[in-house]
Coordinates of all heavy atoms in Angstrom, one line a residue:
S1 N 93.0 68.0 108.3 CA 91.8 68.7 107.8 C 91.9 69.5 106.6 O 91.0 69.8 105.9 CB 91.3 69.6 108.9 OG 92.2 70.7 109.1
T2 N 93.2 69.8 106.2 CA 93.4 70.7 105.1 C 92.9 70.2 103.7 O 92.3 70.9 103.0 CB 94.9 71.1 104.9 OG1 95.4 71.7 106.2 CG2 95.2 72.0 103.8
P3 N 93.0 68.9 103.4 CA 92.5 68.4 102.1 C 91.0 68.5 102.0 O 90.4 68.8 101.0 CB 92.9 66.9 102.1 CG 94.1 66.8 102.9 CD 93.9 67.8 104.0
R4 N 90.3 68.3 103.1 CA 88.8 68.5 103.2 C 88.5 70.0 102.9 O 87.6 70.3 102.1 CB 88.2 68.1 104.5 CG 88.3 66.7 104.9 CD 87.4 66.3 106.0 NE 87.8 67.1 107.3 CZ 88.6 66.6 108.1 NH1 89.2 65.5 108.0 NH2 88.9 67.3 109.2
I5 N 89.2 70.9 103.5 CA 88.9 72.3 103.4 C 89.3 72.8 102.0 O 88.6 73.6 101.3 CB 89.7 73.1 104.4 CG1 89.1 72.8 105.8 CG2 89.6 74.6 104.1 CD1 89.9 73.4 107.0
A6 N 90.4 72.2 101.4 CA 90.8 72.7 100.1 C 89.8 72.3 99.0 O 89.8 72.9 98.0 CB 92.2 71.9 99.8
Q7 N 89.0 71.3 99.3 CA 88.1 70.8 98.2 C 86.7 71.3 98.4 O 85.8 70.9 97.7 CB 88.1 69.2 98.2 CG 89.5 68.7 97.8 CD 89.6 67.2 97.9 OE1 88.7 66.5 97.4 NE2 90.7 66.7 98.5
I8 N 86.5 72.2 99.3 CA 85.2 72.9 99.5 C 84.9 73.6 98.2 O 85.7 74.4 97.7 CB 85.1 73.8 100.6 CG1 85.2 73.0 102.0 CG2 83.9 74.6 100.7 CD1 85.3 74.0 103.2
P9 N 83.7 73.5 97.6 CA 83.4 74.2 96.3 C 83.0 75.7 96.6 O 82.8 76.1 97.7 CB 82.2 73.4 95.8 CG 81.5 72.9 97.0 CD 82.6 72.5 98.0
N10 N 83.1 76.4 95.5 CA 82.6 77.8 95.4 C 83.3 78.7 96.5 O 82.6 79.4 97.3 CB 81.1 77.9 95.6 CG 80.4 77.0 94.6 OD1 80.8 77.1 93.4 ND2 79.4 76.3 95.0
K11 N 84.6 78.6 96.5 CA 85.3 79.4 97.5 C 86.5 80.2 96.7 O 86.8 79.8 95.6 CB 86.0 78.6 98.6 CG 87.1 77.6 98.0 CD 87.7 76.8 99.1 CE 88.7 75.8 98.5 NZ 88.2 75.0 97.4
L12 N 87.0 81.2 97.4 CA 88.2 81.8 96.9 C 89.3 81.6 97.9 O 89.1 81.8 99.2 CB 88.0 83.3 96.7 CG 89.2 84.0 96.0 CD1 88.8 85.1 95.0 CD2 90.1 84.7 97.1
I13 N 90.4 81.1 97.5 CA 91.6 80.9 98.4 C 92.5 82.1 98.4 O 92.9 82.6 97.4 CB 92.3 79.6 98.0 CG1 91.4 78.4 98.2 CG2 93.6 79.5 98.8 CD1 92.0 77.1 97.6
L14 N 92.8 82.5 99.6 CA 93.7 83.7 99.8 C 94.9 83.2 100.5 O 95.0 83.1 101.8 CB 93.0 84.7 100.6 CG 93.4 86.2 100.4 CD1 93.5 86.6 99.0 CD2 92.5 87.1 101.2
G15 N 96.0 82.8 99.8 CA 97.2 82.4 100.4 C 98.2 83.5 100.8 O 98.2 84.5 100.0
D16 N 98.9 83.3 101.9 CA 99.9 84.3 102.2 C 101.0 84.4 101.1 O 101.7 85.4 101.0 CB 100.6 84.0 103.5 CG 99.6 84.1 104.7 OD1 98.6 84.7 104.6 OD2 100.0 83.5 105.8
S17 N 101.1 83.3 100.4 CA 102.2 83.2 99.4 C 101.8 82.2 98.3 O 100.8 81.4 98.5 CB 103.5 82.7 100.0 OG 103.3 81.5 100.6
T18 N 102.5 82.3 97.2 CA 102.2 81.3 96.1 C 102.6 79.9 96.7 O 101.9 78.9 96.3 CB 103.1 81.6 94.9 OG1 102.8 82.9 94.4 CG2 102.9 80.6 93.8
Y19 N 103.5 79.8 97.5 CA 103.9 78.5 98.1 C 102.7 78.0 98.9 O 102.4 76.8 98.8 CB 105.1 78.8 99.1 CG 105.4 77.6 100.0 CD1 106.2 76.5 99.5 CD2 104.9 77.5 101.2 CE1 106.6 75.4 100.2 CE2 105.3 76.4 102.1 CZ 106.1 75.3 101.5 OH 106.3 74.3 102.3
N20 N 102.0 78.8 99.6 CA 100.8 78.3 100.3 C 99.7 77.8 99.4 O 99.1 76.8 99.6 CB 100.3 79.4 101.2 CG 101.1 79.6 102.5 OD1 102.1 79.0 102.6 ND2 100.7 80.5 103.3
C21 N 99.5 78.6 98.3 CA 98.5 78.3 97.3 C 98.9 76.9 96.7 O 98.0 76.0 96.5 CB 98.3 79.3 96.2 SG 97.5 80.8 96.9
D22 N 100.1 76.7 96.3 CA 100.5 75.5 95.7 C 100.3 74.3 96.7 O 100.0 73.2 96.3 CB 102.0 75.6 95.4 CG 102.3 76.5 94.2 OD1 101.3 76.8 93.4 OD2 103.5 76.8 94.0
D23 N 100.4 74.6 98.0 CA 100.2 73.5 99.0 C 98.8 73.1 98.9 O 98.5 71.8 98.9 CB 100.5 74.1 100.4 CG 100.7 73.1 101.4 OD1 101.3 72.0 101.1 OD2 100.3 73.3 102.6
L24 N 97.8 74.0 98.8 CA 96.4 73.6 98.7 C 96.1 73.0 97.4 O 95.2 72.1 97.3 CB 95.5 74.9 98.9 CG 95.4 75.4 100.4 CD1 94.5 76.5 100.5 CD2 95.0 74.3 101.3
I25 N 96.7 73.5 96.3 CA 96.4 72.9 95.0 C 96.8 71.4 95.0 O 96.1 70.6 94.4 CB 97.2 73.7 93.9 CG1 96.5 75.1 93.7 CG2 97.2 73.0 92.5 CD1 97.4 76.0 92.9
A26 N 97.9 71.1 95.6 CA 98.4 69.7 95.7 C 97.4 68.9 96.5 O 97.4 67.6 96.3 CB 99.7 69.6 96.4
M27 N 96.5 69.5 97.3 CA 95.5 68.8 98.1 C 94.1 68.8 97.5 O 93.2 68.4 98.1 CB 95.5 69.3 99.5 CG 96.8 69.2 100.3 SD 96.6 69.7 102.0 CE 98.3 69.6 102.5
G28 N 94.1 69.3 96.2 CA 92.8 69.2 95.6 C 92.1 70.6 95.2 O 91.0 70.6 94.6
A29 N 92.7 71.7 95.7 CA 92.1 73.0 95.3 C 92.3 73.3 93.8 O 93.3 72.8 93.3 CB 92.7 74.1 96.2
R30 N 91.5 74.1 93.3 CA 91.6 74.5 91.9 C 92.5 75.7 91.7 O 92.4 76.7 92.5 CB 90.3 74.8 91.2 CG 89.3 73.7 91.2 CD 88.2 73.9 90.1 NE 87.9 75.3 90.0 CZ 86.9 75.9 90.5 NH1 86.1 75.3 91.4 NH2 86.6 77.2 90.3
P31 N 93.5 75.7 90.8 CA 94.4 76.9 90.6 C 93.6 78.1 90.4 O 94.1 79.2 90.8 CB 95.2 76.4 89.5 CG 95.3 74.9 89.5 CD 93.9 74.5 90.0
D32 N 92.5 78.1 89.6 CA 91.8 79.3 89.3 C 91.1 79.9 90.4 O 90.6 81.1 90.3 CB 90.9 79.1 88.1 CG 89.7 78.1 88.5 OD1 89.8 77.5 89.5 OD2 88.8 78.0 87.7
E33 N 91.0 79.3 91.6 CA 90.4 79.9 92.7 C 91.3 80.4 93.7 O 90.9 80.8 94.8 CB 89.4 78.9 93.4 CG 90.1 77.6 94.0 CD 89.1 76.6 94.5 OE1 87.9 76.7 94.3 OE2 89.5 75.6 95.1
C34 N 92.6 80.5 93.4 CA 93.6 80.9 94.3 C 94.1 82.3 94.0 O 94.3 82.7 92.8 CB 94.9 79.9 94.2 SG 94.5 78.3 94.8
R35 N 94.3 83.1 95.0 CA 94.9 84.4 95.0 C 96.0 84.5 96.0 O 96.0 83.8 97.0 CB 93.9 85.5 95.2 CG 92.6 85.4 94.4 CD 92.9 85.8 92.9 NE 91.6 85.9 92.2 CZ 91.0 84.8 91.6 NH1 91.6 83.6 91.7 NH2 89.9 84.9 91.0
V36 N 96.9 85.4 95.8 CA 98.0 85.6 96.8 C 97.9 87.0 97.4 O 97.7 88.0 96.7 CB 99.4 85.4 96.2 CG1 100.5 85.8 97.2 CG2 99.6 84.0 95.7
L37 N 97.8 87.0 98.8 CA 97.8 88.4 99.5 C 98.7 88.2 100.7 O 98.4 87.4 101.6 CB 96.4 88.7 99.9 CG 96.3 90.0 100.7 CD1 96.7 91.2 99.9 CD2 94.9 90.2 101.2
A38 N 99.8 89.0 100.8 CA 100.7 88.9 101.9 C 100.0 89.2 103.2 O 98.9 89.9 103.2 CB 101.8 89.8 101.7
P39 N 100.5 88.8 104.3 CA 99.8 89.0 105.6 C 99.8 90.5 106.0 O 100.7 91.2 105.6 CB 100.7 88.3 106.7 CG 101.4 87.3 105.9 CD 101.6 87.8 104.5
F40 N 98.6 91.0 106.5 CA 98.6 92.3 107.1 C 99.5 92.4 108.2 O 99.8 91.4 108.9 CB 97.2 92.7 107.4 CG 96.3 93.1 106.2 CD1 95.8 92.1 105.4 CD2 96.2 94.4 105.8 CE1 95.0 92.4 104.3 CE2 95.4 94.7 104.7 CZ 94.9 93.7 103.9
H41 N 100.0 93.6 108.6 CA 101.0 93.7 109.6 C 100.9 95.1 110.3 O 100.1 96.0 109.8 CB 102.4 93.5 109.0 CG 102.6 94.4 107.9 ND1 102.9 95.8 108.0 CD2 102.7 94.2 106.5 CE1 103.1 96.3 106.8 NE2 102.9 95.4 105.9
L42 N 101.6 95.3 111.3 CA 101.7 96.6 112.0 C 103.1 97.2 112.0 O 103.6 97.8 112.9 CB 101.2 96.4 113.4 CG 99.7 96.0 113.6 CD1 99.4 95.7 115.0 CD2 98.8 97.0 113.0
I43 N 103.8 97.0 110.8 CA 105.2 97.4 110.8 C 105.4 98.9 110.8 O 106.3 99.4 111.5 CB 105.8 96.8 109.5 CG1 105.8 95.2 109.6 CG2 107.3 97.3 109.3 CD1 106.3 94.5 108.3
E44 N 104.5 99.6 110.2 CA 104.7 101.1 110.3 C 104.4 101.6 111.6 O 105.0 102.6 112.1 CB 103.9 101.7 109.1 CG 104.4 101.2 107.8 CD 104.1 102.1 106.6 OE1 103.4 103.2 106.8 OE2 104.4 101.8 105.5

């Protein structure tokens, strides 16, 4: 299902890492719609 989702128009992609964003770009997502935000956590 990921290539279908990657090619949805007018979205912003929020990857946990650049690695994740690159994964979607390889499946058809546009690089300019990708951002990186690490996972939220309860470490403190």
